[in-house]
Amino acid sequence: MRVPLSWLREYVDLPAGETGRDVAAKLVDAGLEVETVEQLGGGLKGPLVVGQVLTIEELEGFRKPIRFCTVDVGRANGTGEPQEIVCGARNFSVGDKVVVVLPGAVLPGDFAIASRKTYGKTSHGMICSGEELGMGDDGTHGIIVLPPEHEVGTDAIELLQLVDEVLDIDITPDRGYCMSMRGVAREAATAYGLPLRDPALLDVPAPNSYGYLVKVEDPAGCDRFTARTVTGLDPEARSPIWLTRRLQKAGMRPISLAVDVTNYVMLELGQPLHAYDRSRLDGAIGVRRAEQGEPFTTLDGVKRTLDAEDLVITDSSGPIGLAGVMGGANTEIADSVTDPETGRVTGTTDVVIEAAHFDSVSISRTARRLKLSSEASKRFERGVDPLAASAAAQRTVDLLVLLAGGTAEAGVTELVAPGAPRTIAMSANHPDRVAGMEYGRETVVRRLQEIGCDVYGQDELVVTVPSWRPDLAEPNDLAEEVIRLEGYGNLPSTLPQVPSGRGLTARQQLHRRVGRALAGAGYVEALSYPFLGEGVFDQLQLSAHDATRQVVRLVNPISDEEPALRTTLLPGLLGALRRNDSRGSHDLALFETGSVFRAGKQPGVAVRLPADRRPTDEEIATLDAALPAQPRYAAVVLAGAREQAGWWGKGRPADWADAVQAARSLAVEAGAELVVRQGQYGPWHPGRCAELLVTLDGVETVIGHAGELHPRVVKAMGLPARTSAMELDLDRLAAAGGEPVRAPRISTFPVATQDVALIVDATVPASDVEAALRKGAGELLESLRLFDVFTGEQVGEGKKSLAYALRFRAADRTLTAEESTAARDAAVALAGERTGAVLRGA
C-alpha cells in the first residue's frame, strides 16, 4: 500500500515538521511494515510552468516527426515573449495548455535543462511528459495536456503536486484494514495520539424500495450489497489533476473519470467498488454461484471457465462480473468517442454503482484458481469493513455528481444479511499475563478503545470488535493489540531457563553429525520448500504404482503448481542445482536433510488444539493419529567437477561413486553397517545405480539409492550432464545403528597386509564377495578394500577378477606371517564356498 504523506494529512493533523521517515518510524513502532519512504520530486528545481501552445511548425527531413513550437509562458521567462521549443510528441495541438520546463531548471534524475541547438533549431526548454517529471504513466505516453482553465505561467510544481513523500507499506494478511488511507490514518492517529477525521462518516440516505433491483441468492457469499445510480454524466468530463495525481502516487494508472473515482474511493475507504454502464445492463442485478464450466469474459478480454464455487454478479443475460475480483467486458464503462463529422461526443452517461461485501475465503479461492489477483481481490481476501459499503457508494456518487455533472437518483438499494457484532470475553489482566508485564485495566481498556472496540466490565471484559477488524477473534488477538500499541520495545527481555540434565536427543545428535560430515566432505546445505507438483514424478521416471506418488494434498496450497507435500527430497535439491548451474556455478555438491510426508491409507482430519490450556494426552494422540508419517531423509546431488584442476593435477568430475560414498559416510555416523549392491530404480541410470540396504530385525531392508541419474531424467529436468544423486531414509539408518558410535581402538602393533585376486562370475555382486571375506577373516581383519576390477580374455568369458587389500592387526601382539596367511586363506575359503570365487592364477 503506497501512502502519500500529503493525502494522509487530510485525515490526521500531523505535526508540521514531521517527515515521511518520522511517520514511518511511528507506524513501525505500531506494528506496520514500512518498506521504503520515497521522495517524490527529489532534486526537482524550477522554473516549471503552465504554457499555451501558440504555433506548431512541422520540420521535414528527419527520421521521426519533429515539431518546432512557440509557447506562451507569461512572464516566467523574464521577457514575456513566446518560448521556442523543439518537441517530438504528437498528442497536443495549437491552443493546448502544456507543462513547460525552462532553461536553468533541473528535472528528476539530475537532468539539467539548458538552451541547445537540435534539428537545425534552438530549443529554449522542453514541453514535458508525465514520465519526465517522475509522475508515472498516465496512459498516453505523451505530453501532459492540462485542462484549459489553468492560467499561463502558473507554477506547475505545485499544480501537479510533484513534491511529496510516499510511504510504501507491506500489509500483512491480518491487517487488511490498512489497505486504505482510512486504515493507515487510523494507525497514524493512534500512534501520535491525535484525533482521526474518518472519511467514512458521511450522511447516507436510507435504503428505499425504488432503487435498482438487486437479488442475492447466496447471502453466505454476499452478506451486503449496495447499489446506487447516477445519471446524466458528461462523457467529456475528465479526472481533475488532484485525483489523477493521488492515484499515480498510490501506484494506479488513471483510466477514465468513472473508473478513477471508484479506484480513488477504494484507496480512500478500502471498499472495492464497480461501476456498470446502465445502458448495457439487462434487468435486475443478481448474486449467485457460477454454474460448473460456465464461460465468462473479464474486463481484460480473457475468456475464463468458471467453477461452481465462484461467486458471480449477473443480469438477465448471464454473468456480468466476477464478484470481488474483476468486472465483465459486456458492461464496461464506454470510452468517450467524438464523431468526426458532427463533433458530437458519445459515451457512458448513466452508471450503476456496486458496493458489496463478499466472503473472503470464496474470493481468495477464485482469484487463486484463475490466477487473477486484482486490487479488489487483495482487499476482500484480507477482510473489508462491511459497514463501509454504503459510505463508499455515497462517496462515489458525490464525486461523480461534482466532477461529471451527474444527477444522483433518489433510489437506494441495500440488502443486508442478518448478523450481530462480534464480542470477545477476556480477563482484564490477560494482556499482562501474555506480555509478562503489568499494564493495568485502564491501559488495556484505553488501547482497545483506540482501535475502535467497545469495552464493558471490570475484571472480566466484554469487548465488541469493530467491523473493520475481522482478524480479532479471541483474547490473544486483543492482547496483541494492547502490546503492540504499548510498544514491543518496552517488553522486558527474559531468557528462558534451560532445564538441567537435558540436551539433544540421540536423533538430533545424529542429524547434526550427518550435517557436519557432509559439509566436511565439501557439500553445501540447501533448504527447499516441502511442496511439489505431481508432474515431477513423471520427470523422475517413477512407475505408476510407486509408493512415492502417494502424496498428501493441501487444501490451501501456497502455489497451485505445487499443491502436495513432498515424498522425496530430490525435486527440491535438483531444482536448486539447476538454478545454480544456470547462473554460472557449474561445480556443485548440495545436500539436504528434512522430513518427507507419507500418506496413510485412511487420511485423518486434524483437530484444532486449545490455546488457553495444555492439550490433554488424548487430544495430542488424536492429532498425531491424523498426521501423515514424516520420516526424515537425507539426500545429496552432484554435478561438474568434484576435484578442481590445477598445478597439482587434472582434477576429476563428480560421478556415481561420490554419491555412494556420501551414503557410506552417513552410515559411519549412524554406526550402521551399510550394504551396497547394484540396483535399478526410477530416476537412476540402470547401469550406474546402487541399492542401499541395512539389516532391520534380521531382514535386509532397502533404505535408499545412489548413483548417476538417468539421461532422460537429466533432460526432462534441465540438469547438467552426468548429474549424480543419493537419497536414503535417515530414520531407518539410525535404527540399524543401534549403539552409539564408539571411537576405534588403536593398536600399537604393526599391520600385516595380504592382497588377494578372486575370479567370480560377472553376475556376482562385489558386496557378496566382500561380506564373505570379512566373515571368513575373523577378528584379526582391520580393514578390507576393493582396489581393482578386471575383465578380459585372461579371466575367461562371463568372469571378472576382484582384487582386495586385506589389513590384519592384533591388539596385543605382532602377527606372524603364518597367522595373517591363515586368516587370508580362511577368508578366501569362505568366499569360494559362498560365491564360487577362486584365486586368480590358482
Side-chain angles (χ1 to χ4, degrees):
M1 177 70 188
R2 289 172 57 85
V3 179
L5 189 59
S6 59
W7 194 356
L8 185 64
R9 289 182 183 275
E10 283 201 1
Y11 312 120
V12 184
D13 290 326
L14 299 173
E18 288 292 277
T19 66
R21 295 191 179 278
D22 296 331
V23 177
K26 285 282 190 179
L27 294 179
V28 168
D29 288 342
L32 292 181
E33 298 180 16
V34 182
E35 293 190 336
T36 59
V37 179
E38 184 179 349
Q39 303 288 332
L40 298 184
L44 178 63
K45 176 184 175 184
L48 187 73
V49 298
V50 175
Q52 185 172 22
V53 180
L54 301 178
T55 63
I56 298 177
E57 177 188 351
E58 302 289 345
L59 301 182
E60 304 293 339
F62 300 102
R63 292 184 179 180
K64 62 179 182 179
I66 298 296
R67 309 167 107 188
F68 181 64
C69 312
T70 58
V71 185
D72 179 12
V73 294
R75 301 293 302 178
N77 58 4
T79 65
E81 296 295 324
Q83 201 78 1
E84 296 178 340
I85 298 175
V86 176
C87 183
R90 312 287 299 173
N91 68 313
F92 64 95
S93 307
V94 172
D96 283 346
K97 298 287 182 67
V98 294
V99 178
V100 179
V101 57
L102 300 176
V106 179
L107 295 184
D110 198 25
F111 180 32
I113 303 299
S115 297
R116 66 189 183 96
K117 191 169 184 179
T118 180
Y119 297 103
K121 300 286 187 179
T122 301
S123 181
H124 301 281
M126 188 169 70
I127 302 175
C128 298
S129 68
E131 293 178 344
E132 291 165 339
L133 297 178
M135 297 170 57
D137 179 23
D138 61 358
T140 65
H141 298 287
I143 293 303
I144 301 171
V145 178
L146 300 171
E149 62 267 19
H150 297 292
E151 293 185 9
V152 169
T154 302
D155 182 5
I157 295 178
E158 182 177 353
L159 175 67
L160 299 177
Q161 305 172 24
L162 297 178
V163 179
D164 202 351
E165 294 181 277
V166 178
L167 282 65
D168 193 350
I169 306 176
D170 184 16
I171 307 299
T172 53
D174 61 329
R175 308 290 287 277
Y177 67 98
C178 284
M179 293 194 74
S180 67
M181 294 300 303
R182 180 195 185 201
V184 176
R186 186 181 302 279
E187 290 296 317
T190 303
Y192 280 93
L194 297 171
L196 169 71
R197 289 187 291 274
D198 191 345
L201 296 180
L202 301 174
D203 291 329
V204 179
N208 50 54
S209 59
Y210 43 95
Y212 200 92
L213 185 59
V214 176
K215 298 178 181 178
V216 177
E217 298 179 14
D218 190 342
C222 175
D223 58 5
R224 183 178 293 265
F225 196 108
T226 300
R228 301 289 299 275
T229 304
V230 181
T231 60
L233 300 178
D234 181 5
E236 293 186 275
R238 298 290 180 268
S239 300
I241 291 175
W242 65 266
L243 178 59
T244 60
R245 286 299 293 135
R246 286 188 171 179
L247 291 177
Q248 288 173 328
K249 292 177 185 179
M252 302 189 75
R253 182 171 64 87
I255 299 174
S256 64
L257 177 60
V259 176
D260 292 348
V261 166
T262 57
N263 285 337
Y264 176 84
V265 175
M266 177 185 68
L267 292 172
E268 184 179 50
L269 301 182
Q271 169 66 53
L273 301 111
H274 192 74
Y276 300 97
D277 187 330
R278 184 176 180 178
S279 65
R280 298 187 178 187
L281 289 175
D282 183 9
I285 294 177
V287 183
R288 62 169 172 82
R289 296 288 174 176
E291 298 175 3
Q292 186 66 40
E294 188 172 15
F296 176 63
T297 303
T298 46
L299 274 175
D300 55 5
V302 178
K303 188 174 182 180
R304 306 179 188 275
T305 301
L306 302 183
D307 187 85
E309 288 189 357
D310 297 334
L311 203 62
V312 294
I313 312 297
T314 65
D315 64 5
S316 300
S317 65
I320 60 173
L322 199 54
V325 180
M326 186 175 287
N330 52 343
T331 57
E332 182 180 7
I333 299 296
D335 294 332
S336 60
V337 178
T338 303
D339 190 314
E341 296 182 359
T342 64
R344 183 169 174 269
V345 179
T346 58
T348 299
T349 58
D350 301 340
V351 297
V352 176
I353 300 161
E354 165 208 313
H357 184 261
F358 302 111
D359 175 57
S360 59
V361 174
S362 176
I363 302 305
S364 177
R365 288 179 177 174
T366 297
R368 183 171 297 177
R369 185 181 61 81
L370 295 176
K371 297 180 176 60
L372 188 61
S373 180
S374 64
E375 292 294 331
S377 68
K378 291 176 185 177
R379 286 164 172 79
F380 279 121
E381 288 171 2
R382 290 164 172 78
V384 169
D385 182 5
L387 300 186
S390 56
Q394 182 63 46
R395 178 72 165 138
T396 305
V397 168
D398 293 343
L399 288 173
L400 289 176
V401 170
L402 174 66
L403 303 177
T407 301
E409 287 195 351
V412 178
T413 302
E414 188 167 9
L415 303 182
V416 181
R422 289 175 295 113
T423 59
I424 302 173
M426 180 184 74
S427 299
N429 66 347
H430 183 69
D432 300 358
R433 290 187 282 117
V434 172
M437 63 180 296
E438 184 175 350
Y439 293 121
R441 179 188 177 280
E442 291 186 2
T443 299
V444 170
V445 172
R446 175 173 57 84
R447 288 303 190 184
L448 293 179
Q449 288 174 340
E450 285 177 353
I451 64 172
C453 295
D454 291 330
V455 186
Y456 304 94
Q458 293 299 318
D459 294 338
E460 293 294 326
L461 303 179
V462 177
V463 181
T464 302
V465 177
S467 58
W468 58 84
R469 293 300 303 271
D471 58 301
L472 302 181
E474 55 185 39
N476 284 337
D477 297 330
L478 300 178
E480 180 185 0
E481 293 298 299
V482 174
I483 295 168
R484 77 174 179 88
L485 293 177
E486 283 295 304
Y488 291 119
N490 296 325
L491 292 176
S493 298
T494 305
L495 293 176
Q497 293 182 352
V498 180
S500 60
R502 296 182 183 179
L504 298 177
T505 64
R507 188 170 188 254
Q508 291 169 331
Q509 290 175 347
L510 173 62
H511 296 162
R512 292 200 176 184
R513 291 200 308 272
V514 164
R516 284 195 296 265
L518 291 174
Y523 291 86
V524 176
E525 187 172 16
L527 301 179
S528 57
Y529 288 113
F531 312 113
L532 54 75
E534 295 177 65
V536 76
F537 297 136
D538 295 329
Q539 294 178 329
L540 292 175
Q541 305 285 314
L542 296 179
S543 66
H545 304 291
D546 195 293
T548 305
R549 287 181 176 269
Q550 306 302 314
V551 298
V552 178
R553 292 178 180 84
L554 300 174
V555 176
N556 55 340
I558 295 177
S559 169
D560 291 337
E561 296 178 355
E562 295 181 331
L565 292 173
R566 67 186 179 192
T567 53
T568 168
L569 300 179
L570 290 182
L573 266 183
L574 292 174
L577 184 140
R578 180 178 61 248
R579 285 191 297 274
N580 281 276
D581 180 72
S582 67
R583 287 162 173 77
S585 298
H586 304 303
D587 303 325
L588 297 162
L590 308 178
F591 84 92
E592 181 175 10
T593 63
S595 297
V596 300
F597 304 85
R598 300 292 187 183
K601 295 181 179 179
Q602 296 293 332
V605 178
V607 297
R608 184 176 181 181
L609 297 181
D612 56 344
R613 59 174 174 81
R614 186 190 184 282
T616 64
D617 293 340
E618 291 76 13
E619 289 172 331
I620 295 175
T622 303
L623 178 62
D624 287 340
L627 297 177
Q630 301 176 44
R632 194 170 186 90
Y633 273 38
V636 305
V637 294
L638 306 99
R642 184 64 174 140
E643 295 178 3
Q644 294 291 337
W647 59 264
W648 52 85
K650 294 182 179 181
R652 69 173 183 85
D655 61 17
W656 61 269
D658 295 303
V660 174
Q661 182 56 36
R664 293 186 187 277
S665 65
L666 299 192
V668 171
E669 295 298 332
E673 183 177 346
L674 186 69
V675 178
V676 179
R677 291 181 183 156
Q678 183 176 359
Q680 185 172 343
Y681 179 65
W684 282 275
H685 191 296
R688 303 185 185 117
C689 174
E691 197 173 60
L692 310 175
L693 306 95
V694 294
T695 300
L696 292 173
D697 299 327
V699 179
E700 281 193 345
T701 305
V702 177
I703 63 168
H705 295 82
E708 182 180 315
L709 294 181
H710 197 290
R712 286 199 292 266
V713 174
V714 169
K715 182 178 179 181
M717 303 191 74
L719 302 171
R722 310 299 291 269
T723 298
S724 298
M726 181 278 294
E727 183 177 38
L728 56 76
D729 187 331
L730 204 54
D731 287 345
R732 288 190 177 185
L733 183 67
E739 296 296 324
V741 178
R742 297 182 182 278
R745 184 175 180 180
I746 300 174
S747 174
T748 59
F749 295 93
V751 66
T753 302
Q754 295 275 1
D755 292 346
V756 296
L758 303 177
I759 297 177
V760 296
D761 290 338
T763 57
V764 175
S767 59
D768 290 352
V769 178
E770 181 178 329
L773 290 173
R774 287 185 183 278
K775 182 71 174 177
E779 296 180 354
L780 295 178
L781 181 67
E782 182 180 82
S783 67
L784 174 66
R785 179 174 63 89
L786 174 66
F787 66 86
D788 185 53
V789 179
F790 176 76
T791 58
E793 295 180 0
Q794 294 90 331
V795 297
E797 186 178 354
K799 300 289 185 178
K800 62 183 177 182
S801 171
L802 305 176
Y804 291 90
L806 292 79
R807 291 167 58 93
F808 298 96
R809 196 194 308 258
D812 57 351
R813 68 189 187 280
T814 298
L815 293 177
T816 64
E818 290 77 11
E819 286 178 309
S820 62
T821 301
R824 181 203 65 180
D825 292 343
V828 172
L830 187 58
E833 179 184 336
R834 290 188 175 183
T835 67
V838 295
L839 278 173
R840 184 175 176 181

